[in-house]
Amino acid sequence: MSDAQIGDLVEDGPGGGRWIYTDRRGGTPILRPVFGGTGNTREADHPNGLRVIKTRKELHAESPGFM
């Protein structure tokens, strides 16, 4: 199981790109692009391999209006 929490900036497996972890559906993390609408969400390709780049708290400290 990944240590990622909802709101974290994550990488979806090796070379999987960076995403915001937004929700869980049936135990599967739901991701959206950092700069994209919520209509662009998708299920994680590597739900147990999400690597936390920055936590929600760190993102908020850098840009209070981001989330």
Side-chain angles (χ1 to χ4, degrees):
M1 185 83 165
S2 170
D3 290 334
Q5 301 291 317
I6 291 174
D8 291 350
L9 174 66
V10 298
E11 184 175 63
D12 187 17
R18 292 184 175 188
W19 302 82
I20 299 293
Y21 179 1
T22 60
D23 199 1
R24 288 187 80 78
R25 190 176 304 136
T28 302
I30 304 300
L31 310 175
R32 73 164 172 83
V34 176
F35 298 105
T38 57
N40 295 327
T41 60
R42 68 173 183 84
E43 292 185 356
D45 291 333
H46 305 278
N48 294 323
L50 295 178
R51 184 172 69 93
V52 177
I53 306 299
K54 291 189 179 184
T55 65
R56 179 181 182 147
K57 187 175 182 178
E58 291 170 326
L59 290 169
H60 185 72
E62 290 178 6
S63 302
F66 181 71
M67 297 183 66

